[in-house]
Amino acid sequence: MKKIYFLFLCISINSFSQIKFDKGYFIDNSNKKIECFIRNIDWLNNPTKFEYKISENSEQKTNTITDVKEFGIYNSSKYIRALVDMDLSNNELYKLSESEELKYEEKQAFFKVLIEGNATLFEYVDGNLVKFLYKKNDSEIEQLILKKYKNSDNNIVSNEEYKKQLWLHLKCNNITFKSFKYLEYKKRNLVDFFLKYNKCKNEDYINYEKNKKQDLFNLNVRIGLNNSSLSTNNTTVSSSTRYPDFESKIGLRAGLELEYIFPFNNNKWAFIVEPTYQSYKVENEGSVRNSVDYSSLELPFGIRHYMFINKNSKLFLNGSYIIDFSSGKALNLEIESSGNLGFGLGYKRNDKLSLEFRYHTSRDLFYNYRTTFSNYNTVSLIFGYTIF
């Protein structure tokens, strides 16, 4: 079964993990604009290169930051190369500096355009380091400054100069002082502020964030069938009568799945948690001891990867670790189960209906016993419906 399952996964990955090239453009160092198709990775970090094709069937090529001044994917994203003096201090709690001094260094990057207009907002991401920048009309790109640091009393202090920068350069009649005072240094808040400013100025603008998936949380009802079997063993007893194997049996499973879609890489990755009720009851004829009455609340949590077939259809792969909260008896012993792994392959239609085949690695129902062991094996067929 394992060999068949993993062969199925490999075939599926090879068949559907296609490289997606979307219509876009780039501007080279001689200011020539070239229409092309760009591999749309939906970069989490600001890229230093990108892959492209002049036509859909032409040879794949690569452009780097030294070759290109600007590139974009239509109706999706835009990046502009610039050399900017930046303070790259980290604002994470465990990486805070003990100095309030801003340490600038020249940084060349493809800065991501979030809002483009009379006032343009940019983003720079490098791992956990996130900085925002802006420019007004044809001025130079300038970093919006936020620096957190520890003072001599080991208290955390914030230099929120970005509020002063915006107050000095982006005032408008419809924007109150409170809008600046309480503005948080977060993408959503800054995007909303720049949208408000450009609307206030009655200027044309482009919102590159509007096409991003906003409903990052999905709640899915999951019901299905389990095909489960159990084999038992004791290192001190060789009798197969006392420690038998139990037959495969079909049982119901029911659960709710909370899915968080990561907001990068075209929403192809998700974190999943799926509390699920399942049970397995069986009895071998001829002995009261040879019976199993096992039920549990499983708590799988793991990662899902989507592979798009077209606008309405996609495949997905899961990998989960399963914590099992068990109850019941097997062979007159209290069941105390171990955790195990689950691997799934599924299909989803219209972001509503799904069907998944899942394979579980063996689970020991006698995890805390020294001499008694078991292998509880399950494969599942799961139907899903997305509520929201």
Side-chain angles (χ1 to χ4, degrees):
M1 175 63 74
K2 290 183 181 180
K3 292 181 179 179
I4 295 174
Y5 178 72
F6 285 109
L7 178 60
F8 190 23
L9 287 184
C10 292
I11 292 173
S12 299
I13 291 172
N14 290 333
S15 299
F16 294 100
S17 292
Q18 302 173 7
I19 297 174
K20 185 181 180 184
F21 284 80
D22 289 335
K23 184 67 176 174
Y25 72 93
F26 65 86
I27 299 175
D28 64 19
N29 290 328
S30 61
N31 289 321
K32 181 180 179 181
K33 183 177 180 179
I34 299 170
E35 300 289 331
C36 63
F37 293 85
I38 295 176
R39 185 185 180 189
N40 190 356
I41 300 178
D42 191 23
W43 297 267
L44 175 60
N45 296 320
N46 292 54
T48 57
K49 61 183 179 179
F50 61 91
E51 297 169 344
Y52 72 99
K53 296 179 180 180
I54 295 300
S55 66
E56 289 185 285
N57 298 319
S58 65
E59 178 186 0
Q60 178 177 316
K61 298 181 181 180
T62 301
N63 267 333
T64 69
I65 196 169
T66 59
D67 307 317
V68 171
K69 300 172 67 174
E70 175 182 320
F71 76 93
I73 298 172
Y74 292 121
N75 299 316
S76 178
S77 59
K78 180 177 180 178
Y79 290 86
I80 294 177
R81 185 185 72 189
L83 186 64
V84 181
D85 286 334
M86 294 186 68
D87 172 69
L88 298 176
S89 56
N90 202 304
N91 289 320
E92 290 188 70
L93 183 62
Y94 64 97
K95 291 184 178 180
L96 291 182
S97 168
E98 295 182 354
S99 171
E100 63 179 316
E101 182 183 358
L102 298 173
K103 295 183 179 180
Y104 288 98
E105 59 181 88
E106 283 191 334
K107 182 68 180 180
Q108 179 173 261
F110 280 131
F111 293 102
K112 184 178 183 179
V113 181
L114 301 179
I115 303 295
E116 185 174 38
N118 179 280
T120 299
L121 177 66
F122 301 87
E123 182 184 39
Y124 174 77
V125 179
D126 183 10
N128 293 324
L129 183 68
V130 180
K131 302 291 183 181
F132 296 99
L133 308 92
Y134 82 109
K135 75 183 186 77
K136 185 177 179 181
N137 295 320
D138 295 325
S139 65
E140 296 295 322
I141 297 175
E142 182 180 345
Q143 182 182 357
L144 290 168
I145 298 297
L146 170 67
K147 179 171 181 176
K148 296 181 180 181
Y149 60 95
K150 293 181 180 179
N151 63 16
S152 56
D153 297 323
N154 208 33
N155 295 321
I156 298 175
V157 182
S158 293
N159 175 356
E160 298 181 339
E161 187 178 332
Y162 71 94
K163 296 179 180 179
K164 180 180 178 181
Q165 292 172 282
L166 296 176
W167 168 252
L168 290 175
H169 300 292
L170 299 185
K171 289 196 288 284
C172 192
N173 293 335
N174 293 342
I175 303 179
T176 65
F177 177 74
K178 287 184 177 180
S179 297
F180 296 92
K181 183 178 180 179
Y182 298 108
L183 180 62
E184 294 188 64
Y185 197 84
K186 295 178 180 178
K187 180 192 286 190
R188 178 174 294 181
N189 301 82
L190 289 169
V191 164
D192 289 344
F193 177 86
F194 274 74
L195 286 173
K196 187 174 184 179
Y197 174 82
N198 283 296
K199 289 177 182 178
C200 180
K201 290 295 185 180
N202 293 316
E203 297 281 349
D204 292 335
Y205 63 90
I206 301 174
N207 180 4
Y208 288 96
E209 290 296 291
K210 68 180 180 180
N211 293 323
K212 302 294 183 182
K213 181 179 174 69
Q214 299 300 318
D215 53 330
L216 298 178
F217 286 96
N218 293 327
L219 181 64
N220 308 310
V221 177
R222 310 267 287 175
I223 59 173
L225 300 173
N226 285 349
N227 184 9
S228 304
S229 62
L230 178 67
S231 61
T232 61
N233 184 35
N234 187 290
T235 57
T236 62
V237 180
S238 60
S239 170
S240 60
T241 301
R242 180 176 173 82
Y243 294 96
D245 293 339
F246 293 88
E247 64 181 355
S248 296
K249 190 171 182 180
I250 302 294
L252 294 175
R253 71 184 308 280
L256 283 175
E257 178 186 78
L258 180 63
E259 179 183 37
Y260 172 73
I261 307 293
F262 293 112
F264 59 86
N265 198 215
N266 291 313
N267 306 126
K268 291 182 179 180
W269 293 93
F271 177 78
I272 53 175
V273 179
E274 185 188 356
T276 302
Y277 174 81
Q278 65 92 38
S279 64
Y280 175 74
K281 297 181 181 181
V282 66
E283 183 173 328
N284 285 349
E285 295 182 2
S287 175
V288 176
R289 291 181 303 178
N290 290 349
S291 63
V292 180
D293 186 354
Y294 164 49
S295 60
S296 71
L297 178 66
E298 297 178 335
L299 186 62
F301 58 93
I303 296 295
R304 172 171 292 155
H305 178 60
Y306 285 104
M307 298 168 288
F308 296 96
I309 303 173
N310 55 46
K311 185 172 67 174
N312 299 317
S313 302
K314 52 190 174 183
L315 292 177
F316 59 86
L317 298 174
N318 300 333
S320 301
Y321 180 76
I322 304 168
I323 300 173
D324 191 58
F325 300 95
S326 57
S327 64
K329 289 186 177 183
L331 306 179
N332 281 342
L333 297 174
E334 293 289 339
I335 292 176
E336 298 181 51
S337 58
S338 65
N340 64 316
L341 301 176
F343 301 96
L345 169 65
Y347 170 78
K348 193 163 189 177
R349 178 76 176 176
N350 293 328
D351 283 329
K352 279 293 183 182
L353 299 173
S354 65
L355 178 65
E356 178 187 341
F357 172 78
R358 185 176 295 177
Y359 167 78
H360 300 80
T361 60
S362 294
R363 177 184 300 165
D364 187 1
L365 302 189
F366 304 128
Y367 183 64
N368 289 331
Y369 293 89
R370 291 186 177 182
T371 59
T372 305
F373 306 92
S374 71
N375 287 312
Y376 179 70
N377 297 290
T378 301
V379 292
S380 303
L381 187 65
I382 306 167
F383 302 89
Y385 178 80
T386 300
I387 300 175
F388 61 80

